[in-house]
Amino acid sequence: MGFFELLFISVGLSMDAFAVSVTEGLVIRNSLHKRATITALFFGLFQTFMPIIGYSIGIRFASMVKNYDHWVAFVLLCIIGGKMLYEACQPSDGKPEDDKGIRYKRLFSLAIATSIDALAIGLSFAFLEVNIINSASMIGITTFILSFLGVYIGFKIGNRLRSFAEVVGGLILIIIGSKILYEHLVVGTVFYGL
């Protein structure tokens, strides 16, 4: 998997965290920089470690599903992308919550919820024999940056970008999944006679 493919996956995975960060920014009344940094750290760290956990689970089973790995990656990415598209279409009441300071339990729950997709990506990375440390680092750094920006955007312009971010993220993951399937089925058949 090339750098740009990994970057696109990283951005796609970061869209959930970005969207949540935008909504977090809506309720901030003070300590913007501190709140943005802590939110981004929560999301970035979880998005770093969840793919490693998924990879560790997947690597144990990779040899058993080697002939089907491209289908596994395709299905996982499409499910994740489809979930993001579905969530983007759900109505939101648009009401910001009261600013109650940094709520660590809430951030912890949100970080887990937004990084489940990264766990599934880590699982598919095991089948694709991707360098998990480089991949997880890029996903975590991308998520940190976009989450940090998301809090500021939410603070500045409100809730308008949430659905758009989820749609873009979902589409990116579905496109990457389709590309992996295409490469294995069409390109692999032509060049390797698979």
Side-chain angles (χ1 to χ4, degrees), residues 5-189:
E5 288 173 300
L6 183 55
L7 180 61
F8 286 138
I9 286 176
S10 298
V11 170
L13 283 175
S14 299
M15 286 297 110
D16 268 353
F18 172 76
V20 171
S21 297
V22 169
T23 63
E24 288 293 298
L26 291 172
V27 301
I28 292 176
R29 304 287 179 265
N30 52 48
S31 304
L32 177 61
H33 185 70
K34 178 182 176 185
R35 299 271 295 272
T37 302
I38 291 172
T39 300
L41 277 173
F42 265 86
F43 291 143
L45 288 174
F46 271 83
Q47 290 275 44
T48 299
F49 289 111
M50 289 296 246
I52 294 171
I53 293 168
Y55 183 87
S56 299
I57 294 167
I59 202 73
R60 300 184 197 287
F61 302 103
S63 62
M64 297 186 323
V65 293
K66 190 72 173 162
N67 293 331
Y68 309 101
D69 59 355
H70 48 283
W71 283 105
V72 172
F74 171 72
V75 169
L76 286 174
L77 289 168
C78 285
I79 288 171
I80 295 165
K83 175 179 158 275
M84 291 172 72
L85 291 174
Y86 173 78
E87 290 171 355
C89 296
Q90 297 307 302
S92 170
D93 61 11
K95 295 177 184 174
E97 300 172 35
D98 294 331
D99 189 10
K100 299 176 182 175
I102 298 172
R103 293 168 286 175
Y104 292 101
K105 287 182 183 176
R106 174 180 159 81
L107 276 178
F108 183 80
S109 299
L110 288 171
I112 289 175
T114 58
S115 63
I116 295 298
D117 299 347
L119 180 76
I121 291 293
L123 183 64
S124 65
F125 280 174
F127 303 132
L128 299 173
E129 299 176 2
V130 172
N131 181 321
I132 190 59
I133 300 301
N134 291 345
S135 301
S137 298
M138 181 175 282
I139 291 167
I141 291 167
T142 303
T143 302
F144 176 88
I145 292 168
L146 290 179
S147 298
F148 188 86
L149 292 173
V151 172
Y152 273 88
I153 290 169
F155 181 76
K156 295 290 184 188
I157 63 168
N159 202 22
R160 290 178 227 150
L161 292 182
R162 183 175 192 273
S163 293
F164 176 75
E166 288 181 344
V167 167
V168 170
L171 289 174
I172 286 173
L173 293 180
I174 291 170
I175 290 167
I176 294 292
S178 300
K179 182 179 183 299
I180 290 169
L181 185 65
Y182 173 80
E183 286 176 348
H184 279 271
L185 293 181
V186 177
V187 178
T189 302

